[in-house]
Amino acid sequence: MATWLQLIIFAFASFRLTRLLVFDKITGFIRRPFHKEIEEIGDDGAVEVFIEMKGSGLRAWIGELLSCYWCTGVWCSAFLYGIWIFWPQGAEPLLVILAIAGVAGLIETLVMKLID
């Protein structure tokens, strides 16, 4: 059973890993084989990006998974917990780094909201 501190670390680590896979530009190469981004310009000039899944079967399923924050979050949580169970000494640094990055991202978002 995890302690409260471990649960918090897992929560922030899962949050950061999920955002990394679903939204961050740096991991676009992971999503590219499964997604086609379609940009449309609205009447007000704002650009909207829509995602279309590529292929069918497993490829489309992975595309759906990578476009759903909630779905990817479940798998990221399971992955992080699994490596923690089977390789705790290797998982711990990864969990802490992701948790720190997750907290830093949230702090940055709050600061940007406060100064806008």
Side-chain angles (χ1 to χ4, degrees):
M1 186 67 168
T3 66
W4 280 105
L5 178 59
Q6 289 168 326
L7 182 61
I8 291 167
I9 290 171
F10 270 101
F12 283 118
S14 180
F15 162 75
R16 185 64 199 111
L17 182 58
T18 302
R19 285 203 57 83
L20 182 67
L21 291 174
V22 175
F23 297 115
D24 289 359
K25 289 185 181 195
I26 196 169
T27 54
F29 71 95
I30 295 171
R31 295 183 301 272
R32 204 167 293 122
F34 309 102
H35 292 169
K36 177 180 177 184
E37 290 187 356
I38 301 167
E39 291 185 358
E40 291 184 7
I41 300 174
D43 295 337
D44 61 353
V47 177
E48 292 187 56
V49 179
F50 298 93
I51 296 172
E52 184 177 289
M53 299 315 134
K54 292 181 179 179
S56 60
L58 181 62
R59 186 176 185 190
W61 181 81
I62 293 171
E64 289 288 341
L65 175 71
L66 290 173
S67 68
C68 174
Y69 185 82
W70 298 103
C71 303
T72 304
V74 169
W75 288 102
C76 285
S77 298
F79 168 75
L80 292 173
Y81 186 70
I83 64 168
W84 181 66
I85 291 294
F86 294 109
W87 190 40
Q89 62 272 29
E92 188 175 318
L94 175 64
L95 286 163
V96 171
I97 289 167
L98 287 170
I100 291 168
V103 171
L106 289 173
I107 291 170
E108 178 62 22
T109 300
L110 290 172
V111 168
M112 293 306 291
K113 296 254 185 228
L114 291 173
I115 62 174
D116 278 349

